[in-house]
């Protein structure tokens, strides 16, 4: 693993986990709707779970991908765990996006 790959993996993992921590801290454990960058963030627990899954799947998965030799049992297990984390992150992102869909304004109805 090159130096640039290592730095990128650490940045991705740290940034995603930091966003998850900020969401949980500002929402007081998920009981309030925090405002980040001036916008309300509904479903803070779901969003925090999404960022944690993406951070662990992408960043940490990228860091440990070179521990096991290719096509070994450990490599296969790690690949499947990372795939599950990324799919879980994607599903939670879609749930958060479709939960609060913005209404389409019809100009003709005015």
């Amino acid at each position: 693993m090159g130096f640039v790959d290592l730095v990128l993996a650490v940045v991705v993992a740290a940034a995603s986990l930091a966003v998850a921590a900020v969401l949980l801290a500002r929402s007081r454990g998920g009981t309030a709707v925090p405002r980040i960058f001036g916008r309300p963030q509904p479903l803070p627990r779901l969003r925090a779970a999404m960022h944690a899954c993406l951070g662990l799947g992408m960043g940490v998965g990228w860091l440990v991908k070179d521990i096991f030799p290719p096509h070994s049992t450990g490599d296969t297990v790690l690949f499947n765990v990372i795939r599950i984390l990324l799919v879980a992150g994607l599903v939670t992102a879609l749930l958060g996006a479709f939960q609060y869909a913005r209404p389409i304004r019809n100009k003709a109805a005015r």
Side-chain angles (χ1 to χ4, degrees):
M1 177 179 268
F3 178 72
V4 175
D5 290 341
L6 180 66
V7 170
L8 285 175
V10 170
V11 167
V12 166
S16 293
L17 295 175
V19 170
V22 166
L23 275 168
L24 286 178
R26 287 214 177 154
S27 68
R28 295 184 286 280
T31 59
V33 176
R35 294 184 71 84
I36 298 178
F37 300 121
R39 298 186 58 171
Q41 303 294 320
L43 304 172
R45 287 182 186 160
L46 185 67
R47 289 174 186 255
M50 175 196 66
H51 285 290
C53 286
L54 291 176
L56 291 173
M58 289 173 44
V60 178
W62 202 352
L63 281 173
V64 297
K65 73 176 182 180
D66 290 333
I67 291 177
F68 300 106
H71 308 295
S72 67
T73 303
D75 184 49
T76 305
V77 169
L78 180 66
F79 177 74
N80 288 330
V81 168
I82 290 169
R83 181 185 288 174
I84 289 168
L85 284 171
L86 291 175
V87 168
L90 177 66
V91 167
T92 54
L94 290 173
L95 284 173
F98 290 126
Q99 181 74 24
Y100 289 97
R102 293 187 180 131
I104 299 172
R105 295 183 181 161
N106 189 355
K107 292 181 180 180
R110 289 185 196 178

